[in-house]
Amino acid sequence: MKIQSVLGPVDTSELGQVLMHEHLTCADWSMRMNFGSRFYEADKVTEMSCGMLGKAAQQGVATVVDGTPVNLGRDIHLMRDVARRTGLNIIASTGFYYQEEPWLGFRDEEQIYDLLMGDCTDGIQGTDSKPGILKAGVARAGVTPLLHKVLHATGRVAAETGLPIFCHHDPSVHSGGEILDLFESCGVPANRVILGHSGDTTELEYLTAMLERGCWLGMDRFGFCDRDLGLEPRVDTIARLCEMGWGNKLLLSHDLAAYLAFWDSWETTKNSDYLHLEEDFTFIHRRVLPALRERGLEPAVVDGLLTANPRTFFEGTSSH
Ligand SMILES: [Zn+2]
């Protein structure tokens, strides 16, 4: 079946190895427009993105899902340029991150639904690029009234378009059940939903309870091993879930951005040796897959994490 990449429909049989949750950039548009090159330089970010994602392509990656929501600075022109220059399939998202902001807080659900539906039917930002996935986010505070409204609008768009949903969530507060309930109330079954950042916990009881509901787990923060939960506990948790028979419901990624404007200034980033970072878009190939093989997992299960699983997720064919 066909899904939307930023350069047009692509057959799911041609997705190859997929990184299910990355970002080319997360950099706020109002900051970009106001501060110009002090905050962001588009040409340079394009060059960085091509260099970094080109390295992943050399490792065998064929498809990258850009999980940037509209209000973290999703840049469809950047995605289109990088897709053309690297030959990668890039899948764009539409949806909103969890921050409380007036243009979400004061609007009713219908208006939010209309905006998201417009991206899906008309294309993004005046281009013919359409999203291949919806994005939602729930932070530590859980499903606040604003997020209930935004997630409900997002769920309705998913039910109507058939697009799947990636939902950022914080597994430490166990909000997955509430998120799945909300989407189900919109007509979105759990097998169309990824609970993102599930790899940030080692609590097997919670993770298996979510898997039993039928959703997918994003073990997708391998770009952050240095910052919080390290590589070994993350890999051990994946290995344990695979041994329990859940290997076909896990999706791997780094959640990195070529330029992430949250923490690092543009000045620091543009002068960094970004092509030789330890935790880059090739970290899974260099460090995670070998570590999983060392733990004795079947090669087919390990290979499926980047190929069969994303394909099955997009096709929506898994029953459990
Ligand atoms: Zn992300």
Side-chain angles (χ1 to χ4, degrees):
M1 72 175 267
K2 302 270 188 199
I3 63 165
Q4 293 289 342
S5 85
V6 297
L7 298 184
V10 55
D11 199 275
T12 48
S13 64
E14 286 163 16
L15 294 174
Q17 291 185 20
V18 182
L19 294 175
M20 274 302 303
H21 185 91
E22 308 292 352
H23 305 270
L24 301 191
T25 192
C26 289
D28 182 70
W29 278 107
S30 53
M31 296 287 279
R32 283 180 66 174
M33 292 175 81
N34 193 77
F35 297 113
S37 61
R38 289 169 59 207
F39 185 77
Y40 192 98
E41 285 173 278
D43 291 356
K44 188 86 178 153
V45 173
T46 305
E47 194 186 312
M48 287 172 70
S49 302
C50 288
M52 292 178 78
L53 289 174
K55 278 179 68 184
Q58 283 169 16
Q59 296 276 357
V61 172
T63 302
V64 175
V65 179
D66 185 300
T68 313
V70 175
N71 53 350
L72 284 186
R74 181 192 60 186
D75 186 334
I76 198 68
H77 296 289
L78 171 63
M79 287 183 227
R80 288 162 63 94
D81 280 355
V82 172
R84 283 196 196 97
R85 286 168 56 170
T86 60
L88 288 162
N89 303 309
I90 298 186
I91 314 290
S93 308
T94 195
F96 295 103
Y97 208 50
Y98 55 72
Q99 63 260 40
E100 308 270 324
E101 45 190 333
W103 19 87
L104 295 176
F106 296 139
R107 283 176 185 248
D108 64 23
E109 183 183 319
E110 290 313 304
Q111 294 185 56
I112 294 166
Y113 166 90
D114 284 344
L115 290 171
L116 296 179
M117 195 53 115
D119 271 8
C120 301
T121 54
D122 307 336
I124 297 168
Q125 252 184 290
T127 70
D128 58 7
S129 298
K130 293 179 179 171
I133 189 167
L134 292 158
K135 172 72 181 270
V138 174
R140 186 170 283 257
V143 183
T144 61
L146 181 148
L147 288 181
H148 190 278
K149 175 175 67 180
V150 172
L151 264 64
H152 202 268
T154 309
R156 287 169 56 205
V157 174
E160 228 164 288
T161 58
L163 290 175
I165 304 174
F166 178 97
C167 190
H168 169 113
H169 101 298
D170 184 337
S172 71
V173 296
H174 296 188
S175 52
E178 189 181 9
I179 291 167
L180 295 176
D181 288 345
L182 204 165
F183 287 138
E184 271 175 11
S185 78
C186 306
V188 182
N191 77 340
R192 300 301 284 153
V193 180
I194 305 171
L195 288 178
H197 315 325
S198 293
D200 290 355
T201 187
T202 57
E203 284 183 79
L204 286 170
E205 198 181 328
Y206 172 68
L207 296 176
T208 51
M210 294 302 101
L211 287 163
E212 276 159 13
R213 296 226 17 200
C215 68
W216 296 78
L217 296 186
M219 313 306 272
D220 51 22
R221 278 263 176 91
F222 280 106
F224 292 83
C225 293
D226 268 356
R227 293 183 196 254
D228 45 31
L229 191 61
L231 174 63
E232 296 298 317
R234 287 175 187 270
V235 168
D236 286 340
T237 304
I238 293 173
R240 191 73 196 96
L241 289 170
C242 289
E243 287 158 12
M244 294 164 79
W246 293 112
N248 60 344
K249 298 293 287 196
L250 309 178
L251 296 162
L252 266 51
S253 218
H254 303 91
D255 197 14
L256 279 171
Y259 175 43
L260 179 66
F262 290 179
W263 299 301
D264 299 327
S265 76
W266 172 236
E267 194 61 28
T268 305
T269 301
K270 78 172 173 185
N271 293 315
S272 70
D273 188 9
Y274 54 84
L275 285 179
H276 296 95
L277 301 172
E278 163 61 359
E279 292 179 349
D280 66 2
F281 295 108
T282 67
F283 187 80
I284 286 174
H285 284 81
R286 291 182 293 107
R287 301 287 301 280
V288 178
L289 300 180
L292 287 169
R293 290 189 193 105
E294 270 170 29
R295 282 161 174 76
L297 295 182
E298 295 284 330
V301 172
V302 177
D303 293 345
L305 295 168
L306 290 181
T307 52
N309 292 7
R311 179 178 176 178
T312 307
F313 166 71
F314 277 116
E315 290 177 348
T317 48
S318 83
S319 55
H320 200 271

